[in-house]
Amino acid sequence: MNDTTRFNEIEQQLKNTEYALNVSSIVITTDENGIIESVNDKFCKISKYSRDELLGRNYLSINAVYFNELEEVLRKGNVWHGEIKGIAKDESEYWVDTTIVPFLNENGNPYQYIIILHDITTRKQYETDIESMAFYDTLTQLPNRNHLHRWIAEHEIETNETTTVLFLDLDRFRYINDNFGHQSGDFVLQEIANRLTQCLGETDLIIRQGGDEFIIILKHNHPDETIIDLAKRILQQVSLPIQLLDKQLSIHLSIGISRETGTTDVLDSTSFIESLIKKADTAMLLAKEQGGNDYCISTPEQKIKMDRLFNIELEIKDALKKNEFHIEYQPLINLKNNQIVGVESLLRWSNQALGPISPGEFIPILEKTGDIVTVGKWILWTVCNQMKLWQENGTLLQKISVNVSPIQFKETNFINDLQEILNETQLDASYLELEITEGTILEIKDSAKTLEALQGLGVKVSIDDFGTGYSSLSYLKQLPIDTLKIDKSFIDNLDADGEIIVNTIINMGKNLRFRVIAEGIENKQQLDYLKLQKCHEGQGYYFSKPVKSEVIQKLYHQSSKNWQSID
Ligand code: C2E
Ligand code: MG
Ligand code: MG
């Protein structure tokens, strides 16, 4: 019997079964050992082999996956149906929906197989595309959150196995988007995703959580040192320069790390991993609060700290409405004649539930929520009004200094609002001095323009915490700046190497015609030293802590006396 006759016979037999062939079918017949005896043209086409190349080969050897299960089923003489990946002659892959029907002899043993295939390559490709769209991030090609959920659901937490989660968030990513555009932002995310992947092993899972956040999950029992080494390697790799337009930028990120060992109590892997992610997220936020570009390991104390920050954020929303803010004033002393020359205004907040909270804690939260803009306006109004009141009752200070947050400084309405406040309170602008930091000048795009506008109004500007940033004095001299306030940390260290720094700032500052103020003077030795160096002004607990406005009046009238008597 030749192939064609046999094929016709088989086709006839099939018509009697539920496996009716349709025109698109690919058909193969094999002997009892799977050796191909006949194929139709459609199989030659999909497999890219000629008929001669196929005849005599084992059917199972031309599939990408060798099915033990399939062999088993066939041996028993059962019909098999499933999807199989085939490898064509040119090594391209195709998928076929496959039905294998054995023909049995009178003893019940297969003597022949007929294999009917349907090409489902397009459908499979479509399924793969859908899978990749649903489970992978299109920008970075990394697995996404859906992938993570599926991964968690499929993973058992084993007893004594330590799982580690690293939560990563780029520092100041908004700055890149705002200053270089979203395309550059996308490029940065792709580049960082590549660098992160290169830092990891094959079994480690990394996902893009969304925006500029990534999560890494390590399943093996790595020792603590390995994890810390990994965090350091990531920080270092990520900070290598990236070329953006005509600039080379160094990107940084913050990493939170949480680790836990599975115990017999762990019933649910989803809540186990999700709680680890939450802890790592909290630790990451703390790494960020502490300046970023670092890692932080999750501890129970951190949770308490974060809960407090959360409560502050909640309570501070209504603080202005509830009249919970007030302002205190700390004297600025002329070190030549011990007279009060001015005051620095310092914001105070006392909340019913939380008690008094220091500005170091709540100002960053006001900045984060953006509420510093409204509160800052209230401060400026209150302070200008207070200065005017003092002038009217004979407390004739030369200046009042107000701290201005970078968020407030870069607001488009900042200058207009200030102008309005000066008009309303009728304070002469020359009595007002604004304290900004070096960071405000260096990091805000149009800071020089705003400084010029302030000069136009007649308002003075002072650089607060001077020496802690990276600005050079000669650069600052090109800007309309009047005063440098040497940071308290240098005054604290006057007996160590602080002396050299303080001398340099005072001498260079005076040569460049800045007024120089020393902050945080706490004792007589510090004061004597600063007087010797002819520092213009001083401020600190040695003279007075920040006090209410009524006290300033009193101090003003006795300030020519010896300061020690005020303590
Ligand atoms: P700053 O502007 O550098 O203010 C000086 C800080 O040092 C004040 O802390 C002051 O109370 C404290 N201080 C002054 N002399 C001494 C001293 O001799 N010893 C010690 N240990 N400390 C001294 P405070 O009031 O807690 O303010 C901290 C920071 O919060 C301020 O640093 C400023 O950056 C910010 N801040 C305070 N009030 C405002 C405000 O109204 N607006 C804005 N944007 N920021 C403010
Ligand atoms: Mg200040
Ligand atoms: Mg300061």
Side-chain angles (χ1 to χ4, degrees):
M1 201 175 1
N2 67 27
D3 280 352
T4 322
T5 338
R6 186 151 185 191
F7 179 75
N8 287 341
E9 188 196 45
I10 291 164
E11 198 172 21
Q12 192 53 46
Q13 283 174 309
L14 267 172
K15 275 183 186 152
N16 300 331
T17 73
E18 57 185 302
Y19 302 100
L21 284 174
N22 69 36
V23 278
S24 64
S25 301
I26 302 165
V27 185
I28 305 164
T29 63
T30 76
D31 69 8
E32 71 270 30
N33 296 315
I35 304 298
I36 299 174
E37 292 181 334
S38 73
V39 293
N40 67 354
D41 289 345
K42 287 200 165 68
F43 189 63
C44 295
K45 199 167 161 208
I46 194 171
S47 69
K48 297 186 178 134
Y49 288 106
S50 69
R51 180 172 275 106
D52 285 347
E53 285 168 324
L54 288 166
L55 297 179
R57 274 184 80 160
N58 191 318
Y59 164 70
L60 293 175
S61 73
I62 51 170
N63 294 308
V65 187
Y66 190 87
F67 301 97
N68 284 333
E69 174 217 19
L70 176 63
E71 228 185 344
E72 178 78 20
V73 168
L74 297 182
R75 212 176 307 117
K76 287 184 184 151
N78 295 333
V79 171
W80 187 89
H81 180 242
E83 293 179 347
I84 292 184
K85 183 154 76 171
I87 302 279
K89 189 180 176 184
D90 63 0
E91 296 195 341
S92 61
E93 292 174 356
Y94 60 87
W95 277 89
V96 277
D97 175 86
T98 305
T99 305
I100 305 182
V101 188
F103 288 93
L104 309 177
N105 60 22
E106 48 286 4
N107 302 325
N109 296 322
Y111 66 90
Q112 189 176 39
Y113 295 96
I114 178 157
I115 304 165
I116 303 140
L117 312 173
H118 289 103
D119 183 0
I120 52 166
T121 312
T122 315
R123 193 194 86 203
K124 276 284 177 190
Q125 185 57 48
Y126 190 56
E127 280 173 12
T128 314
D129 289 351
I130 290 181
E131 151 105 6
S132 86
M133 272 181 342
F135 293 101
Y136 290 84
D137 168 49
T138 39
L139 181 68
T140 61
Q141 308 306 326
L142 291 183
N144 63 14
R145 239 190 329 227
N146 292 341
H147 190 290
L148 176 68
H149 292 148
R150 190 173 61 173
W151 185 90
I152 294 174
E154 286 170 0
H155 263 79
E156 296 266 312
I157 300 301
E158 281 162 36
T159 317
N160 294 330
E161 186 181 67
T162 304
T163 306
T164 308
V165 173
L166 283 81
F167 199 109
L168 296 82
D169 187 295
L170 298 191
D171 296 340
R172 305 191 323 122
F173 182 61
R174 251 191 72 187
Y175 167 82
I176 293 171
N177 270 334
D178 290 352
N179 290 280
F180 294 87
H182 284 262
Q183 234 174 339
S184 298
D186 285 354
F187 172 72
V188 166
L189 287 171
Q190 285 168 329
E191 179 61 24
I192 299 296
N194 285 339
R195 292 183 189 186
L196 292 176
T197 310
Q198 278 163 20
C199 292
L200 299 175
E202 272 184 11
T203 55
D204 305 333
L205 175 69
I206 171 160
I207 72 142
R208 180 173 175 217
Q209 157 85 349
D212 58 348
E213 291 176 348
F214 300 87
I215 292 175
I216 294 171
I217 301 185
L218 311 172
K219 280 276 295 170
H220 300 293
N221 284 330
H222 299 286
D224 288 358
E225 306 83 72
T226 314
I227 303 296
I228 290 172
D229 283 349
L230 172 67
K232 285 183 181 161
R233 197 163 64 245
I234 289 177
L235 290 169
Q236 191 248 336
Q237 285 299 313
V238 165
S239 66
L240 295 176
I242 289 185
Q243 187 76 30
L244 266 196
L245 308 177
D246 58 341
K247 284 212 170 91
Q248 279 213 327
L249 275 198
S250 210
I251 310 287
H252 298 297
L253 47 71
S254 302
I255 307 177
I257 304 173
S258 63
R259 314 192 69 200
E260 227 148 274
T261 305
T263 62
T264 42
D265 299 339
V266 177
L267 298 174
D268 171 12
S269 63
T270 305
S271 47
F272 179 79
I273 303 247
E274 287 198 331
S275 114
L276 273 178
I277 292 177
K278 233 186 228 145
K279 286 177 188 162
D281 187 3
T282 306
M284 179 280 291
L285 288 175
L286 271 183
K288 222 171 250 293
E289 303 236 329
Q290 287 156 15
N293 190 21
D294 207 351
Y295 63 87
C296 188
I297 299 170
S298 160
T299 60
E301 296 79 55
Q302 276 180 1
K303 169 137 179 37
I304 297 171
K305 208 166 162 185
M306 289 312 291
D307 283 350
R308 178 168 164 87
L309 288 179
F310 179 79
N311 283 331
I312 293 180
E313 195 169 328
L314 205 73
E315 290 291 333
I316 210 162
K317 283 216 163 323
D318 298 325
L320 199 54
K321 261 190 255 151
K322 288 192 193 155
N323 256 330
E324 292 179 345
F325 289 124
H326 76 273
I327 292 172
E328 290 191 350
Y329 300 88
Q330 188 176 30
L332 304 170
I333 310 300
N334 181 330
L335 296 188
K336 232 181 187 172
N337 59 16
N338 288 350
Q339 297 277 345
I340 292 189
V341 282
V343 287
E344 175 178 5
S345 68
L346 292 157
L347 184 60
R348 296 289 176 258
W349 177 39
S350 186
N351 172 267
Q352 216 175 23
L354 301 166
I357 294 155
S358 82
E361 232 184 329
F362 72 76
I363 298 268
I365 294 176
L366 285 177
E367 288 178 334
K368 194 181 93 184
T369 59
D371 290 329
I372 191 71
V373 175
T374 327
V375 175
K377 249 194 267 179
W378 175 84
I379 296 170
L380 278 167
W381 192 93
T382 311
V383 165
C384 291
N385 191 50
Q386 181 59 60
M387 187 66 168
K388 187 72 190 167
L389 289 175
W390 277 328
Q391 288 176 349
E392 283 167 2
N393 74 21
T395 307
L396 303 174
L397 300 169
Q398 290 165 27
K399 65 174 168 187
I400 189 154
S401 273
V402 185
N403 292 288
V404 171
S405 149
I407 312 291
Q408 210 182 339
F409 189 83
K410 71 176 179 196
E411 261 294 295
T412 35
N413 282 336
F414 177 60
I415 296 290
N416 284 346
D417 289 346
L418 182 59
Q419 168 93 70
E420 228 168 76
I421 289 168
L422 288 167
N423 290 346
E424 271 180 34
T425 56
Q426 305 254 300
L427 179 71
D428 186 321
S430 63
Y431 290 105
L432 182 63
E433 183 164 76
L434 301 186
E435 293 193 9
I436 57 175
T437 59
E438 291 164 84
T440 301
I441 293 180
L442 297 179
E443 285 170 27
I444 293 176
K445 218 162 114 200
D446 291 326
S447 60
K449 276 193 193 138
T450 310
L451 288 172
E452 277 157 27
L454 287 172
Q455 188 183 36
L457 287 182
V459 172
K460 295 195 182 67
V461 172
S462 154
I463 302 299
D464 204 354
D465 307 336
F466 183 75
T468 55
Y470 297 100
S471 52
S472 71
L473 279 173
S474 49
Y475 171 68
L476 291 181
K477 194 57 217 167
Q478 297 163 26
L479 302 168
I481 288 165
D482 308 275
T483 309
L484 301 180
K485 293 187 81 171
I486 307 174
D487 189 61
K488 177 177 181 304
S489 57
F490 302 116
I491 310 301
D492 286 344
N493 285 324
L494 267 184
D495 43 358
D497 53 356
E499 258 187 28
I500 303 167
I501 302 171
V502 170
N503 286 355
T504 312
I505 299 177
I506 295 176
N507 291 328
M508 283 183 69
K510 283 166 81 175
N511 281 338
L512 294 169
R513 304 208 184 295
F514 290 110
R515 273 198 85 69
V516 184
I517 304 185
E519 289 192 88
I521 304 174
E522 289 182 342
N523 59 48
K524 192 160 182 324
Q525 289 89 312
Q526 291 168 337
L527 175 62
D528 289 345
Y529 184 80
L530 291 161
K531 279 188 169 185
L532 198 71
Q533 297 303 321
K534 300 204 163 46
C535 182
H536 296 124
E537 287 162 32
Q539 173 185 2
Y541 292 176
Y542 180 71
F543 302 114
S544 163
K545 287 196 168 176
V547 289
K548 299 231 166 87
S549 58
E550 310 84 80
V551 184
I552 289 294
Q553 246 165 271
K554 223 170 89 195
L555 291 178
Y556 172 79
H557 293 291
Q558 65 179 112
S559 84
S560 51
K561 296 178 200 156
N562 187 348
W563 272 104
Q564 274 142 313
S565 63
I566 292 167
D567 288 332

